[in-house]
Amino acid sequence: MRALLAVLALLFAALPAAAQERNWREVRDGKGVYAVLLPGKADGYNDVTAQGEAAGHNVELDNGAHYFDIYRVEAPQAPPNKAEHTAFLKEKIDASVAAANGTLLSAQPVTLAGFIGSEVVVDFPSLGGRLRQRHFVVEKRIVQQTWSGPPGQETSPDVEKFFASLKLKP
């Protein structure tokens, strides 16, 4: 009997992981700049406009406890020299954190497919949550990958899979 209970416990423990694995879906933007996995069906696909012109694309999934988002925006002001991308991104990130009254917990440079980027973790006590975000300059575009949720969950397996799944193309 104990052996049977142990086997059943192992099966039930494995079910949520297997169920989550089946729900991952790849999404791509219309211009082929990125592809990423989301842990479920996206809630919305939005074309972002500025002054009447297409300025970007946003895909998001909010499952109640965690929010996943990928955003591509045209950035004609992005410096053409890759050596300047880090400073360009830092300026954008600092302004965003300040505007949201957040506290920057960590910031580090990252690269993906030859594109220079940065990753930040931000604490938002007023919202009771954390934000982990990566930004990449892809030619004259910024691709922003975001997770937000409870503190301590920013390195959970689902969050790691989401960040590891991003593919960028010029």
Side-chain angles (χ1 to χ4, degrees):
M1 184 68 165
R2 277 189 172 165
L4 178 60
L5 289 175
V7 168
L8 288 174
L10 286 173
L11 286 174
F12 283 115
L15 282 177
Q20 288 176 358
E21 193 65 32
R22 283 192 298 271
N23 290 331
W24 285 89
R25 298 176 186 208
E26 183 177 71
V27 295
R28 298 171 180 266
D29 80 321
K31 294 192 176 194
V33 175
Y34 69 78
V36 71
L37 293 175
L38 290 175
K41 185 177 179 189
D43 296 326
Y45 296 82
N46 305 302
D47 287 319
V48 180
T49 58
Q51 299 172 343
E53 295 185 29
H57 184 76
N58 173 254
V59 179
E60 61 189 19
L61 167 68
D62 186 347
N63 69 13
H66 302 272
Y67 173 80
F68 298 86
D69 178 75
I70 185 80
Y71 180 73
R72 174 201 30 91
V73 64
E74 301 300 319
Q77 75 280 20
N81 182 346
K82 282 188 176 185
E84 299 173 24
H85 288 179
T86 301
F88 174 75
L89 288 172
K90 183 179 180 339
E91 180 182 310
K92 300 290 182 199
I93 292 165
D94 288 348
S96 296
V97 171
N101 292 322
T103 303
L104 186 64
L105 299 177
S106 68
Q108 60 188 10
V110 291
T111 58
L112 181 63
F115 298 107
I116 294 172
S118 63
E119 178 175 312
V120 296
V121 176
V122 180
D123 192 34
F124 290 103
S126 62
L127 302 174
R130 286 267 163 84
L131 174 109
R132 179 176 168 190
Q133 200 169 60
R134 287 186 177 172
H135 307 82
F136 294 94
V137 178
V138 180
E139 295 182 347
K140 291 291 185 178
R141 299 178 180 103
I142 295 174
V143 174
Q144 176 180 289
Q145 185 181 20
T146 303
W147 165 86
S148 64
Q153 294 293 307
E154 58 272 12
T155 57
S156 70
D158 281 352
V159 175
E160 291 296 334
K161 182 170 183 168
F162 169 65
F163 280 101
S165 73
L166 181 62
K167 297 174 189 146
L168 298 173
K169 296 179 183 175

